[in-house]
Amino acid sequence: MYNFTPPVTRLIEELRKIPGIGRKSAQRIAFYLLRSGKQDAVNLANAIIDAANNTFFCSQCYNITAVEPCEICIADREKTKICVVEEPFNIYSIEKTNLYKGMYHVLHGHLSPIRGIGPDELKIPGLIKRMEKGEVEEVIIAVSPTTEGNATAHYLSDILRKFKVKISRFALGLPIGADLDYVDSVTIARALEGRTEL
Ligand code: ZN
């Protein structure tokens, strides 16, 4: 059986670790990179190294940033509102609507007992710490309307209740099972405006 030469195999194996990329796609990307001219491949590799080496999690909201605190945490925004999202890229989906001017908090995932992801694996302690400062008046839980997202939202609303703040969920209008990132700005805007109190 013919195997790809070792450096190509290694490239394919690394590409396959990316969510959504299967064996066939990994092979296609690897061969595209290697035949499209060395410079493109080197530029891509350098961009990955640069992004990996020069970004980190914001100590306040856990967004991915190159400055501490991140641009959103340092901006003149409504400090009384925190919108809780699952992934850093969810922030950009919400920012595109131009409707939300509060702060964010990134959980870096959702509760998933099957995959062994409990509250301690998420950035929930950091959120509690922010709540304890007493500045926050509303927490908007903007997790995906999936089974795991719902479980995460319920868990959060339970532990946040003691802070006596308004807790709302924005999932209204989002199609069942839709991932927040794949929903367009108009849908997110409608959901944000029609958020329901928990
Ligand atoms: Zn931040």
Side-chain angles (χ1 to χ4, degrees):
M1 193 187 125
Y2 171 74
N3 283 319
F4 300 122
T5 191
V8 176
T9 304
R10 182 183 164 208
L11 176 57
I12 292 169
E13 289 311 312
E14 291 303 322
L15 288 168
R16 281 191 65 198
K17 292 177 187 170
I18 300 170
I21 298 200
R23 181 184 295 277
K24 285 242 169 75
S25 299
Q27 290 174 359
R28 260 197 298 270
I29 295 167
F31 282 97
Y32 165 77
L33 289 170
L34 297 174
R35 72 168 149 65
S36 69
K38 226 172 212 152
Q39 200 51 49
D40 282 349
V42 170
N43 289 347
L44 174 65
N46 286 337
I48 294 170
I49 292 167
D50 182 50
N53 284 341
N54 295 306
T55 59
F56 45 88
F57 295 160
C58 170
S59 67
Q60 294 180 39
C61 72
Y62 297 95
N63 186 14
I64 290 176
T65 179
V67 289
E68 166 62 26
C70 75
E71 287 93 340
I72 290 179
C73 283
I74 213 162
D76 184 22
R77 298 175 68 109
E78 294 174 54
K79 309 270 188 237
T80 55
K81 284 183 189 163
I82 292 185
C83 180
V84 180
V85 295
E86 289 170 60
E87 303 294 343
F89 53 73
N90 295 145
I91 293 178
Y92 299 97
S93 310
I94 296 169
E95 284 298 291
K96 267 195 287 181
T97 68
N98 250 323
L99 282 175
Y100 179 71
K101 299 292 172 212
M103 314 301 283
Y104 289 95
H105 193 87
V106 187
L107 296 174
H108 288 271
H110 46 232
L111 294 177
S112 176
I114 297 168
R115 285 185 292 143
I117 301 168
D120 292 343
E121 276 68 45
L122 303 177
K123 305 295 182 195
I124 293 176
L127 177 62
I128 303 294
K129 221 185 271 171
R130 294 175 78 182
M131 297 301 296
E132 284 166 349
K133 288 186 186 151
E135 233 182 358
V136 179
E137 291 166 11
E138 181 180 6
V139 177
I140 301 157
I141 302 171
V143 295
S144 304
T146 57
T147 310
E148 290 168 329
N150 290 341
T152 309
H154 283 207
Y155 178 83
L156 285 175
S157 64
D158 274 355
I159 59 162
L160 293 176
R161 219 164 281 287
K162 67 172 177 188
F163 294 103
K164 309 252 182 287
V165 293
K166 184 179 171 193
I167 303 166
S168 54
R169 168 99 194 258
F170 94 66
L172 204 81
L174 295 183
I176 298 294
D179 209 300
L180 201 55
D181 188 51
Y182 299 111
V183 182
D184 63 37
S185 294
V186 178
T187 313
I188 291 177
R190 218 179 288 145
L192 187 59
E193 285 175 334
R195 62 186 182 265
T196 46
E197 208 162 325
L198 290 177

